[in-house]
Amino acid sequence: LSSSERAGIPSLVHMRTCLLLVLGILLALQGCAHAEETGDGIISITSNDADALLTSGTWLVEFYAPWCGFCQRLEPTYAEVAAELTPQGVKVAKIDGTKNQALSARFGVEGFPTIFHIHEGEVRSYDNDRTKEMMVWYALHDWEKHKPAFGSLTAPFGIPKRGLGMLVESALTLQALYDHMRQLYGLSQPVAIGISLLATILIGTGLGFILSLVFPHPAARAKRD
């Protein structure tokens, strides 16, 4: 390493640590964010507010991509669905899967559009025709005839999937910070990778500590009891 790169490492590590602390605070405050309602009555949801909103009430949720032709053709029909369901107590929402990749991972989204029915946090996949009549009928009546799409360990709002979401968010953030450091500070690839690895260790340690509190070792639990 050059002398200038060695001199800059401590300050960059400090900056990286501060950024990661800010990230942790933002993740902890996810439930405080508010969803936006579009002009057609459809609620736009992000990773920041999904857990706070979708775990209560009844929802019809579409994962979409802005470049998806099928999603674009579905827009007017989906707006009509929202107009009919909203007065009857079913909220209609959409999630941009390209901007909320961690949320897409939690729901196991593999293509667009993907539609889910969610009742009090229980998720069912909608696999019928994407017509107004079929979607409205399913959301109001037919959903009860179908089994939930996920088990207790794979449910999007369960602890394992929330942990997966945090890992995906962390990986995306680390990649963005890595690219930012390379471009802004002109760091060599080994230095940038080293800082990224350090941040990864810090994040892994933090997640491990959280998991140890949620799932304590049997011996520790017995001793506490």
Side-chain angles (χ1 to χ4, degrees):
L1 299 179
S2 65
S3 58
S4 59
E5 287 181 330
R6 286 196 300 269
I9 289 178
S11 61
L12 290 175
V13 171
H14 177 70
M15 177 190 69
R16 184 62 168 245
T17 304
C18 292
L19 288 172
L20 289 170
L21 288 174
V22 171
L23 172 63
I25 294 173
L26 291 175
L27 289 173
L29 297 177
Q30 280 185 346
C32 298
H34 298 282
E36 297 180 359
E37 184 172 332
T38 60
D40 50 14
I42 300 173
I43 301 173
S44 180
I45 291 179
T46 68
S47 297
N48 293 333
D49 45 44
D51 290 298
L53 295 175
L54 298 179
T55 50
S56 63
T58 304
W59 296 79
L60 194 67
V61 180
E62 174 203 3
F63 280 82
Y64 75 98
W67 44 259
C68 171
F70 294 106
C71 303
Q72 295 168 6
R73 288 192 289 273
L74 181 62
E75 283 185 8
T77 302
Y78 202 59
E80 293 177 1
V81 170
E84 185 158 340
L85 287 180
T86 301
Q88 301 188 63
V90 178
K91 299 176 182 178
V92 179
K94 62 182 181 180
I95 298 171
D96 186 342
T98 64
K99 293 182 179 180
N100 300 276
Q101 297 180 44
L103 200 54
S104 296
R106 287 170 59 179
F107 277 81
V109 174
E110 298 179 348
F112 304 107
T114 297
I115 300 175
F116 294 101
H117 179 278
I118 305 175
H119 177 71
E120 300 298 337
E122 195 171 60
V123 182
R124 290 171 172 81
S125 297
Y126 177 79
D127 299 319
N128 295 332
D129 294 337
R130 299 189 191 113
T131 62
K132 171 191 171 184
E133 292 75 19
M134 289 297 295
M135 286 189 281
V136 169
W137 175 257
Y138 184 93
L140 293 176
H141 310 289
D142 201 45
W143 65 271
E144 293 182 289
K145 301 177 183 178
H146 299 265
K147 295 181 179 180
F150 303 93
S152 58
L153 293 178
T154 58
F157 303 111
I159 292 177
K161 279 297 184 74
R162 291 193 187 198
L164 172 63
M166 293 181 65
L167 288 175
V168 173
E169 291 280 9
S170 299
L172 293 172
T173 300
L174 288 173
Q175 181 62 48
L177 289 174
Y178 169 82
D179 295 336
H180 179 72
M181 286 188 299
R182 291 291 309 275
Q183 296 175 4
L184 184 63
Y185 298 102
L187 295 179
S188 63
Q189 186 177 24
V191 173
I193 291 177
I195 296 176
S196 298
L197 288 174
L198 176 61
T200 302
I201 293 173
L202 293 174
I203 291 176
T205 302
L207 290 176
F209 177 73
I210 294 173
L211 289 174
S212 68
L213 295 178
V214 177
F215 302 106
H217 191 276
R221 189 188 301 113
K223 184 178 180 179
R224 186 173 63 247
D225 295 339

